Amino acid sequence: MPNTKIIRNNYIDILRALGLLLLIIAHTNPPLWLKELRTFDVPLMVFISAICYKTTNSKILPYCIKRFKRIYIPVVVFLIIFFPLLYFLDSYTGNKNFGIPSIIGSFLLLNGPSIGYVWIMRVFLMMAFIIPLINPIIKKTNFAQTIFIVATIIFLQEYLVVLIECISIKPLRFILDQYILYAIGYSAIVVIGLKIKEFTTIQKITISSIAFITLIAYSFISGFDIFPSLYKYPPRSIYILYGIGISSLLWSFNPFFSEFRQIEAFKYISANSMWLYLWHIIPVYLINYGIVPIPFWVGRYLFVLIAAICLNILYQRLINLLPEKLYSLIK
Protein backbone atom coordinates (compact mmCIF):
# COMPACT_ATOMS: atom_id res chain seq x y z
CA MET A 1 0.00 0.00 0.00
CA PRO A 2 1.25 3.54 -0.70
CA ASN A 3 2.73 5.71 1.99
CA THR A 4 0.51 8.72 2.66
CA LYS A 5 1.72 11.57 4.84
CA ILE A 6 -1.11 13.45 6.51
CA ILE A 7 -0.61 16.91 7.99
CA ARG A 8 -2.01 17.17 11.52
CA ASN A 9 -5.42 18.76 11.61
CA ASN A 10 -5.93 20.56 14.91
CA TYR A 11 -9.69 20.43 14.40
CA ILE A 12 -9.42 16.73 15.17
CA ASP A 13 -8.16 17.70 18.63
CA ILE A 14 -11.31 19.75 19.15
CA LEU A 15 -13.59 16.89 18.09
CA ARG A 16 -11.71 14.28 20.11
CA ALA A 17 -11.82 16.53 23.17
CA LEU A 18 -15.53 17.06 22.59
CA GLY A 19 -16.07 13.31 22.35
CA LEU A 20 -14.26 12.73 25.65
CA LEU A 21 -16.18 15.49 27.42
CA LEU A 22 -19.46 14.03 26.17
CA LEU A 23 -18.50 10.53 27.34
CA ILE A 24 -17.95 11.89 30.85
CA ILE A 25 -21.34 13.62 30.75
CA ALA A 26 -22.98 10.25 30.20
CA HIS A 27 -21.63 8.90 33.49
CA THR A 28 -22.57 11.81 35.76
CA ASN A 29 -26.36 11.36 35.70
CA PRO A 30 -27.19 14.38 33.50
CA PRO A 31 -30.70 15.64 32.68
CA LEU A 32 -32.57 13.35 30.27
CA TRP A 33 -32.47 15.83 27.37
CA LEU A 34 -28.69 16.16 27.67
CA LYS A 35 -28.23 12.43 28.09
CA GLU A 36 -29.98 11.84 24.77
CA LEU A 37 -28.41 14.80 22.96
CA ARG A 38 -24.86 13.63 23.70
CA THR A 39 -25.48 10.06 22.56
CA PHE A 40 -23.29 10.58 19.48
CA ASP A 41 -20.13 10.54 21.65
CA VAL A 42 -18.89 6.99 20.90
CA PRO A 43 -19.78 7.25 17.17
CA LEU A 44 -17.86 10.54 17.06
CA MET A 45 -14.76 8.91 18.57
CA VAL A 46 -14.99 6.03 16.08
CA PHE A 47 -15.52 8.55 13.28
CA ILE A 48 -12.35 10.41 14.34
CA SER A 49 -10.30 7.20 14.51
CA ALA A 50 -11.26 6.48 10.90
CA ILE A 51 -10.38 10.02 9.80
CA CYS A 52 -6.99 9.73 11.50
CA TYR A 53 -6.10 6.42 9.86
CA LYS A 54 -2.90 6.75 7.86
CA THR A 55 -2.15 4.43 4.94
CA THR A 56 1.40 3.16 5.31
CA ASN A 57 3.71 0.61 3.78
CA SER A 58 3.54 -1.55 6.90
CA LYS A 59 1.54 -4.76 6.84
CA ILE A 60 -1.81 -5.09 8.55
CA LEU A 61 -0.70 -7.50 11.29
CA PRO A 62 2.07 -5.28 12.74
CA TYR A 63 -0.35 -2.35 12.60
CA CYS A 64 -3.03 -4.30 14.50
CA ILE A 65 -0.50 -5.45 17.11
CA LYS A 66 0.61 -1.86 17.60
CA ARG A 67 -2.97 -0.65 17.99
CA PHE A 68 -3.77 -3.52 20.37
CA LYS A 69 -0.90 -2.50 22.63
CA ARG A 70 -1.85 1.16 22.36
CA ILE A 71 -5.44 0.56 23.43
CA TYR A 72 -5.44 -2.54 25.61
CA ILE A 73 -2.30 -2.11 27.75
CA PRO A 74 -3.53 1.17 29.32
CA VAL A 75 -6.77 -0.61 30.22
CA VAL A 76 -4.85 -3.44 31.89
CA VAL A 77 -2.68 -0.99 33.83
CA PHE A 78 -5.74 0.96 34.94
CA LEU A 79 -7.64 -2.17 36.05
CA ILE A 80 -4.63 -3.38 38.05
CA ILE A 81 -4.72 -0.06 39.87
CA PHE A 82 -8.51 0.14 40.09
CA PHE A 83 -9.50 -3.27 41.43
CA PRO A 84 -7.70 -2.97 44.79
CA LEU A 85 -9.45 0.38 45.19
CA LEU A 86 -12.78 -1.19 44.26
CA TYR A 87 -12.21 -3.95 46.82
CA PHE A 88 -11.79 -1.38 49.60
CA LEU A 89 -14.77 0.63 48.36
CA ASP A 90 -16.95 -2.48 48.40
CA SER A 91 -15.71 -3.41 51.86
CA TYR A 92 -16.33 0.11 53.15
CA THR A 93 -19.78 0.59 51.65
CA GLY A 94 -21.10 -2.97 51.65
CA ASN A 95 -21.57 -3.04 47.88
CA LYS A 96 -20.80 -6.15 45.84
CA ASN A 97 -19.32 -4.91 42.57
CA PHE A 98 -15.98 -6.55 43.24
CA GLY A 99 -15.79 -10.23 42.31
CA ILE A 100 -14.16 -12.73 39.97
CA PRO A 101 -16.83 -12.37 37.23
CA SER A 102 -16.47 -8.59 37.35
CA ILE A 103 -12.67 -8.83 37.14
CA ILE A 104 -12.68 -11.27 34.21
CA GLY A 105 -15.41 -9.38 32.36
CA SER A 106 -13.56 -6.10 32.77
CA PHE A 107 -10.29 -7.48 31.39
CA LEU A 108 -12.29 -8.94 28.49
CA LEU A 109 -13.88 -5.49 27.95
CA LEU A 110 -17.40 -6.89 28.23
CA ASN A 111 -20.57 -4.90 28.80
CA GLY A 112 -21.20 -7.17 31.75
CA PRO A 113 -20.38 -8.64 34.13
CA SER A 114 -17.71 -5.97 34.52
CA ILE A 115 -17.10 -2.63 36.21
CA GLY A 116 -18.80 -1.03 33.20
CA TYR A 117 -17.40 1.74 31.04
CA VAL A 118 -14.54 -0.34 29.53
CA TRP A 119 -16.74 -1.85 26.79
CA ILE A 120 -15.94 1.25 24.75
CA MET A 121 -12.33 0.08 24.51
CA ARG A 122 -13.59 -3.15 22.94
CA VAL A 123 -15.26 -1.07 20.25
CA PHE A 124 -12.09 0.95 19.65
CA LEU A 125 -10.06 -2.26 19.40
CA MET A 126 -12.42 -3.87 16.91
CA MET A 127 -12.52 -0.75 14.78
CA ALA A 128 -8.70 -0.52 14.86
CA PHE A 129 -8.61 -4.02 13.35
CA ILE A 130 -11.41 -3.39 10.86
CA ILE A 131 -10.24 -0.03 9.47
CA PRO A 132 -7.12 -1.32 7.64
CA LEU A 133 -9.12 -4.25 6.26
CA ILE A 134 -11.89 -2.21 4.65
CA ASN A 135 -9.88 0.89 3.75
CA PRO A 136 -8.51 -0.55 0.44
CA ILE A 137 -12.11 -1.15 -0.67
CA ILE A 138 -13.65 2.07 0.61
CA LYS A 139 -10.98 4.36 -0.85
CA LYS A 140 -12.05 3.25 -4.34
CA THR A 141 -15.73 4.13 -3.90
CA ASN A 142 -17.45 7.34 -4.97
CA PHE A 143 -20.05 9.24 -2.95
CA ALA A 144 -23.09 7.24 -4.13
CA GLN A 145 -21.32 3.91 -3.63
CA THR A 146 -20.26 4.94 -0.13
CA ILE A 147 -23.84 5.79 0.82
CA PHE A 148 -25.01 2.46 -0.62
CA ILE A 149 -22.43 0.54 1.44
CA VAL A 150 -23.43 2.36 4.64
CA ALA A 151 -27.13 1.71 3.97
CA THR A 152 -26.39 -1.98 3.34
CA ILE A 153 -24.45 -2.27 6.59
CA ILE A 154 -27.29 -0.65 8.53
CA PHE A 155 -29.93 -2.93 6.98
CA LEU A 156 -27.74 -5.98 7.70
CA GLN A 157 -27.33 -4.83 11.28
CA GLU A 158 -31.09 -4.54 11.78
CA TYR A 159 -31.61 -8.00 10.30
CA LEU A 160 -29.01 -9.55 12.61
CA VAL A 161 -30.48 -7.83 15.67
CA VAL A 162 -33.81 -9.51 14.92
CA LEU A 163 -32.15 -12.80 14.00
CA ILE A 164 -30.21 -13.05 17.24
CA GLU A 165 -33.47 -13.33 19.19
CA CYS A 166 -34.09 -16.65 17.43
CA ILE A 167 -30.72 -18.13 18.41
CA SER A 168 -30.80 -20.41 21.45
CA ILE A 169 -27.12 -21.47 21.44
CA LYS A 170 -25.66 -19.28 24.17
CA PRO A 171 -22.00 -19.16 23.02
CA LEU A 172 -23.06 -18.19 19.49
CA ARG A 173 -25.52 -15.64 20.78
CA PHE A 174 -22.83 -14.19 23.07
CA ILE A 175 -20.36 -13.77 20.18
CA LEU A 176 -23.00 -12.18 17.99
CA ASP A 177 -24.26 -9.87 20.71
CA GLN A 178 -20.91 -8.76 22.15
CA TYR A 179 -18.72 -8.72 19.05
CA ILE A 180 -20.32 -9.23 15.63
CA LEU A 181 -23.14 -6.70 16.08
CA TYR A 182 -20.76 -4.09 17.45
CA ALA A 183 -18.23 -4.70 14.68
CA ILE A 184 -20.83 -4.42 11.93
CA GLY A 185 -22.77 -1.51 13.42
CA TYR A 186 -19.79 0.76 14.04
CA SER A 187 -18.31 -0.17 10.64
CA ALA A 188 -20.99 2.01 9.05
CA ILE A 189 -19.51 4.99 10.91
CA VAL A 190 -15.97 3.94 9.95
CA VAL A 191 -16.90 3.94 6.25
CA ILE A 192 -18.06 7.55 6.46
CA GLY A 193 -14.99 8.53 8.48
CA LEU A 194 -12.61 7.02 5.93
CA LYS A 195 -14.22 8.97 3.06
CA ILE A 196 -15.35 12.22 4.66
CA LYS A 197 -12.19 14.17 3.79
CA GLU A 198 -12.78 13.49 0.10
CA PHE A 199 -16.34 14.81 0.11
CA THR A 200 -17.41 18.33 -0.71
CA THR A 201 -19.26 20.48 1.81
CA ILE A 202 -22.52 19.76 -0.03
CA GLN A 203 -21.88 16.03 0.16
CA LYS A 204 -21.13 16.22 3.87
CA ILE A 205 -24.35 18.13 4.48
CA THR A 206 -26.18 15.61 2.29
CA ILE A 207 -24.99 12.77 4.51
CA SER A 208 -26.23 14.57 7.61
CA SER A 209 -29.51 15.45 5.90
CA ILE A 210 -30.18 11.84 4.87
CA ALA A 211 -29.46 10.67 8.43
CA PHE A 212 -31.68 13.31 10.06
CA ILE A 213 -34.54 12.92 7.57
CA THR A 214 -34.53 9.18 8.22
CA LEU A 215 -34.57 9.80 11.97
CA ILE A 216 -37.43 12.30 11.67
CA ALA A 217 -39.42 9.84 9.53
CA TYR A 218 -38.88 7.08 12.07
CA SER A 219 -39.79 9.44 14.88
CA PHE A 220 -43.02 10.37 13.11
CA ILE A 221 -43.93 6.72 12.56
CA SER A 222 -43.17 5.82 16.19
CA GLY A 223 -45.17 8.73 17.58
CA PHE A 224 -42.17 10.98 18.26
CA ASP A 225 -41.00 8.60 20.96
CA ILE A 226 -37.36 8.16 19.94
CA PHE A 227 -34.33 8.04 22.24
CA PRO A 228 -30.98 7.13 20.62
CA SER A 229 -29.63 5.70 23.89
CA LEU A 230 -32.25 2.91 23.71
CA TYR A 231 -30.64 1.68 20.49
CA LYS A 232 -27.04 1.66 21.73
CA TYR A 233 -26.51 -1.89 23.07
CA PRO A 234 -25.89 -3.20 20.44
CA PRO A 235 -25.79 -0.22 18.04
CA ARG A 236 -28.90 -0.13 15.88
CA SER A 237 -29.97 2.02 12.94
CA ILE A 238 -31.34 4.93 15.00
CA TYR A 239 -28.19 5.20 17.08
CA ILE A 240 -25.89 4.74 14.05
CA LEU A 241 -27.73 7.31 11.93
CA TYR A 242 -27.72 9.82 14.76
CA GLY A 243 -23.98 9.34 15.20
CA ILE A 244 -23.29 9.65 11.47
CA GLY A 245 -25.52 12.70 11.13
CA ILE A 246 -23.95 14.66 13.99
CA SER A 247 -20.36 13.57 13.23
CA SER A 248 -20.62 14.54 9.55
CA LEU A 249 -22.22 17.84 10.47
CA LEU A 250 -19.48 18.61 12.98
CA TRP A 251 -16.81 17.80 10.41
CA SER A 252 -18.45 20.19 7.92
CA PHE A 253 -18.02 22.95 10.55
CA ASN A 254 -14.24 22.58 10.28
CA PRO A 255 -13.61 25.97 8.58
CA PHE A 256 -15.57 27.87 11.24
CA PHE A 257 -13.45 26.80 14.22
CA SER A 258 -10.02 28.02 13.16
CA GLU A 259 -9.83 30.50 16.05
CA PHE A 260 -10.24 27.70 18.60
CA ARG A 261 -7.66 25.29 17.18
CA GLN A 262 -4.73 26.52 19.23
CA ILE A 263 -6.47 26.31 22.60
CA GLU A 264 -4.18 24.21 24.79
CA ALA A 265 -7.03 22.63 26.75
CA PHE A 266 -8.32 20.91 23.60
CA LYS A 267 -4.83 19.68 22.76
CA TYR A 268 -4.30 18.30 26.26
CA ILE A 269 -7.65 16.52 26.43
CA SER A 270 -7.18 15.12 22.93
CA ALA A 271 -3.65 13.87 23.57
CA ASN A 272 -4.68 12.26 26.87
CA SER A 273 -8.23 11.24 25.95
CA MET A 274 -7.77 7.51 26.57
CA TRP A 275 -6.20 7.92 30.00
CA LEU A 276 -8.61 10.67 31.01
CA TYR A 277 -11.48 8.36 30.12
CA LEU A 278 -10.02 5.57 32.26
CA TRP A 279 -9.23 7.84 35.22
CA HIS A 280 -12.72 9.36 35.21
CA ILE A 281 -14.10 5.95 36.24
CA ILE A 282 -12.65 6.38 39.77
CA PRO A 283 -14.46 9.64 40.68
CA VAL A 284 -17.64 8.27 39.06
CA TYR A 285 -17.51 5.31 41.45
CA LEU A 286 -16.85 7.63 44.39
CA ILE A 287 -20.03 9.53 43.53
CA ASN A 288 -22.10 6.41 42.87
CA TYR A 289 -21.01 4.90 46.19
CA GLY A 290 -22.05 8.06 48.01
CA ILE A 291 -18.52 8.73 49.26
CA VAL A 292 -18.53 12.08 47.46
CA PRO A 293 -22.22 13.10 47.48
CA ILE A 294 -22.89 15.87 44.98
CA PRO A 295 -26.62 16.52 44.46
CA PHE A 296 -26.48 18.63 41.29
CA TRP A 297 -25.27 17.53 37.86
CA VAL A 298 -22.86 20.37 37.04
CA GLY A 299 -21.02 19.77 40.30
CA ARG A 300 -20.74 16.04 39.62
CA TYR A 301 -19.46 16.71 36.12
CA LEU A 302 -16.82 19.22 37.21
CA PHE A 303 -15.68 16.95 40.04
CA VAL A 304 -15.26 13.95 37.72
CA LEU A 305 -13.48 15.94 35.03
CA ILE A 306 -11.11 17.74 37.40
CA ALA A 307 -10.39 14.54 39.34
CA ALA A 308 -9.60 12.69 36.09
CA ILE A 309 -7.17 15.42 35.04
CA CYS A 310 -5.48 15.43 38.45
CA LEU A 311 -5.15 11.62 38.45
CA ASN A 312 -3.70 11.75 34.95
CA ILE A 313 -1.13 14.39 35.93
CA LEU A 314 -0.16 12.36 39.01
CA TYR A 315 0.13 9.17 36.97
CA GLN A 316 2.29 10.82 34.31
CA ARG A 317 4.65 12.20 36.93
CA LEU A 318 4.97 8.81 38.61
CA ILE A 319 5.68 6.85 35.44
CA ASN A 320 8.29 9.41 34.43
CA LEU A 321 10.36 7.88 37.23
CA LEU A 322 10.28 4.45 35.59
CA PRO A 323 12.97 3.01 33.28
CA GLU A 324 12.52 4.11 29.68
CA LYS A 325 11.44 0.71 28.32
CA LEU A 326 8.76 0.25 30.96
CA TYR A 327 7.65 3.86 30.55
CA SER A 328 7.18 3.46 26.79
CA LEU A 329 5.09 0.35 27.37
CA ILE A 330 2.55 1.79 29.82
CA LYS A 331 2.47 5.51 29.03
Side-chain angles (χ1 to χ4, degrees), residues 32-33 43-44 63 90 111-112 122 149 172 181 183 191 226 262 277 288 307-308 316:
L32 179 61
W33 66 269
L44 178 61
Y63 169 83
D90 276 4
N111 293 61
R122 185 178 83 249
I149 290 173
L172 178 58
L181 290 178
V191 170
I226 177 173
Q262 301 305 320
Y277 179 81
N288 291 343
Q316 293 298 329

Side-chain angles (χ1 to χ4, degrees), residues 26 62 67 75 81 86 94 105 171 176 189 203 234 274 288 294 319 329:
R67 294 304 298 164
V75 178
I81 296 171
L86 182 60
L176 282 169
I189 300 166
Q203 289 173 328
M274 181 176 297
N288 291 343
I294 303 177
I319 64 172
L329 179 66

Side-chain angles (χ1 to χ4, degrees), residues 23 26-27 35 38-39 41-42 110-112 116-120 122-123 157 161 164-165 176-178 181-182 186 227-237 239-240 277:
L23 285 169
H27 304 147
K35 178 183 177 182
R38 47 123 301 263
T39 314
D41 47 8
V42 179
L110 300 180
N111 293 61
Y117 313 113
V118 292
W119 68 270
I120 293 175
R122 185 178 83 249
V123 172
Q157 179 78 347
V161 169
I164 195 175
E165 296 299 326
L176 282 169
D177 183 57
Q178 294 286 319
L181 290 178
Y182 282 83
Y186 282 103
F227 298 96
S229 63
L230 298 178
Y231 303 88
K232 187 175 181 179
Y233 309 105
R236 298 187 62 176
S237 57
Y239 176 76
I240 296 169
Y277 179 81

Side-chain angles (χ1 to χ4, degrees), residues 88-300:
F88 286 112
L89 287 177
D90 276 4
S91 300
Y92 177 75
T93 61
N95 287 283
K96 297 180 179 180
N97 288 308
F98 183 86
I100 299 301
S102 178
I103 294 173
I104 295 175
S106 297
F107 279 100
L108 293 177
L109 309 181
L110 300 180
N111 293 61
S114 72
I115 63 169
Y117 313 113
V118 292
W119 68 270
I120 293 175
M121 299 303 177
R122 185 178 83 249
V123 172
F124 294 158
L125 267 178
M126 289 191 294
M127 293 305 103
F129 298 157
I130 288 172
I131 287 173
L133 294 176
I134 67 175
N135 181 62
I137 299 172
I138 300 304
K139 69 179 182 181
K140 298 177 182 178
T141 62
N142 57 32
F143 179 75
Q145 291 168 335
T146 302
I147 297 301
F148 176 78
I149 290 173
V150 171
T152 301
I153 292 173
I154 292 175
F155 279 116
L156 174 61
Q157 179 78 347
E158 286 299 302
Y159 173 76
L160 289 176
V161 169
V162 174
L163 178 64
I164 195 175
E165 296 299 326
C166 304
I167 297 176
S168 57
I169 304 174
K170 289 186 177 180
L172 178 58
R173 184 164 181 165
F174 174 82
I175 293 173
L176 282 169
D177 183 57
Q178 294 286 319
Y179 295 96
I180 303 301
L181 290 178
Y182 282 83
I184 293 176
Y186 282 103
S187 291
I189 300 166
V190 163
V191 170
I192 297 296
L194 288 172
K195 294 293 291 186
I196 197 75
K197 287 187 287 187
E198 301 176 17
F199 294 155
T200 66
T201 301
I202 296 299
Q203 289 173 328
K204 296 171 190 174
I205 295 175
T206 299
I207 292 172
S208 295
S209 298
I210 292 173
F212 292 140
I213 289 172
T214 305
L215 288 172
I216 292 171
Y218 183 89
S219 179
F220 179 78
I221 294 172
S222 62
F224 298 98
D225 184 18
I226 177 173
F227 298 96
S229 63
L230 298 178
Y231 303 88
K232 187 175 181 179
Y233 309 105
R236 298 187 62 176
S237 57
I238 301 304
Y239 176 76
I240 296 169
L241 286 169
Y242 183 60
I244 289 175
I246 297 292
S247 298
S248 300
L249 190 62
L250 287 173
W251 187 254
S252 68
F253 290 161
N254 191 339
F256 304 104
F257 285 87
S258 57
E259 59 183 294
F260 300 104
R261 295 184 183 185
Q262 301 305 320
I263 296 178
E264 291 300 322
F266 290 133
K267 295 180 181 180
Y268 176 82
I269 294 174
S270 175
N272 296 275
S273 58
M274 181 176 297
W275 275 109
L276 287 174
Y277 179 81
L278 292 171
W279 292 127
H280 100 282
I281 296 173
I282 293 177
V284 165
Y285 262 80
L286 293 177
I287 291 175
N288 291 343
Y289 274 38
I291 295 175
V292 182
I294 303 177
F296 53 100
W297 169 73
V298 174
R300 291 193 297 271

